[in-house]
Amino acid sequence: RPPRSTQGVSSAASDVYKRQLLLLLLLLLPLPLPLPSGVPASGFGVGLSVGDAVGEQGESGIRVPVYLSTDASVEAYTVVVEFDNTALQATGIDLTESVTENLMLLDVNGMVDANNELGYIAYTALFMPMPGNSIGAGENLVLFHLNFDILPEAAPGNSPLQVLDELEGTLIKTMITSDGVTQIPEFVDGNVLVNETSMPSTNTIRTRTAKTE
């Protein structure tokens, strides 16, 4: 069984994704062109949304769920999320407590790419083609969690997490596949609310003991 979480840092398109694209083509050919967002294919309607989280400056271990809503079973997906690299540091992908966790994965790839003020996480899961080894139809199913650390110097306020239809300059696209039909889903973005670090009180309570003679 593949590891339940994956992490790493890559400079650009990442060599791992050459393998991902090859496997995707081998598994799903012939592939139709992705349909415009929100257009159902053969009754296949799908949406993706990123959840919200709250943390303080310098806090680590922030988990943000990514949700899937689908009218049909899903056998593969790729999700690309953009984040503010001046506020957040991506530490990986977490499959625990998700619909992906207990499925047999043919291939799993995760890529974290930080570039100037923007960072990107691209994640792909392909399920082995066997009966029952797919994500069933449902609403707000947790696909996986994004893991972040909040930088100590992060500005207080909302730090957006934006789903991208594709990673610029690459062939990596957000897409959901069912029965060989690949579709670009509708997106709902999320955010991490960054609060100022709680400072311990510097006030001390002084007690005076009276001397008795």
Side-chain angles (χ1 to χ4, degrees):
R1 174 177 290 184
R4 296 296 89 189
S5 63
T6 176
Q7 60 184 9
V9 177
S10 172
S11 53
S14 176
D15 289 340
V16 222
Y17 270 82
K18 295 177 182 177
R19 183 163 158 246
Q20 173 241 324
L21 292 171
L22 177 60
L23 283 171
L24 189 62
L25 290 173
L26 291 175
L27 182 65
L28 301 177
L29 280 176
L31 279 176
L33 291 176
L35 297 176
S37 176
V39 178
S42 303
F44 176 34
V46 65
L48 278 175
S49 62
V50 180
D52 299 322
V54 180
E56 295 184 353
Q57 294 166 321
E59 184 175 345
S60 59
I62 303 298
R63 297 177 80 216
V64 181
V66 176
Y67 298 102
L68 168 71
S69 294
T70 174
D71 292 340
S73 61
V74 169
E75 64 227 19
Y77 63 81
T78 295
V79 181
V80 183
V81 177
E82 178 184 87
F83 62 93
D84 182 356
N85 196 44
T86 67
L88 303 174
Q89 179 180 7
T91 58
I93 303 294
D94 183 2
L95 300 183
T96 58
E97 300 176 330
S98 75
V99 292
T100 307
E101 179 180 13
N102 295 317
L103 297 177
M104 297 296 294
L105 303 177
L106 178 65
D107 194 35
V108 180
N109 287 313
M111 179 184 72
V112 178
D113 181 33
N115 182 16
N116 297 324
E117 294 185 355
L118 295 177
Y120 306 93
I121 298 178
Y123 180 72
T124 293
L126 307 176
F127 306 124
M128 293 185 67
M130 60 178 60
N133 194 55
S134 61
I135 298 172
E139 294 288 328
N140 295 321
L141 306 172
V142 178
L143 270 185
F144 56 86
H145 293 86
L146 302 168
N147 292 340
F148 294 100
D149 292 343
I150 300 178
L151 300 177
E153 64 273 20
N158 285 325
S159 184
L161 302 173
Q162 182 180 1
V163 182
L164 302 181
D165 56 354
E166 64 180 306
L167 189 55
E168 186 177 357
T170 74
L171 297 175
I172 304 168
K173 297 184 178 183
T174 293
M175 54 188 179
I176 308 294
T177 301
S178 175
D179 294 329
V181 176
T182 297
Q183 184 175 331
I184 299 175
E186 294 181 327
F187 309 145
V188 177
D189 300 328
N191 71 84
V192 175
L193 175 60
V194 179
N195 293 323
E196 292 185 3
T197 303
S198 300
M199 299 298 293
S201 175
T202 57
N203 296 327
T204 58
I205 301 175
R206 296 182 180 179
T207 59
R208 182 176 298 172
T209 302
K211 291 183 179 181
T212 57
E213 296 182 1

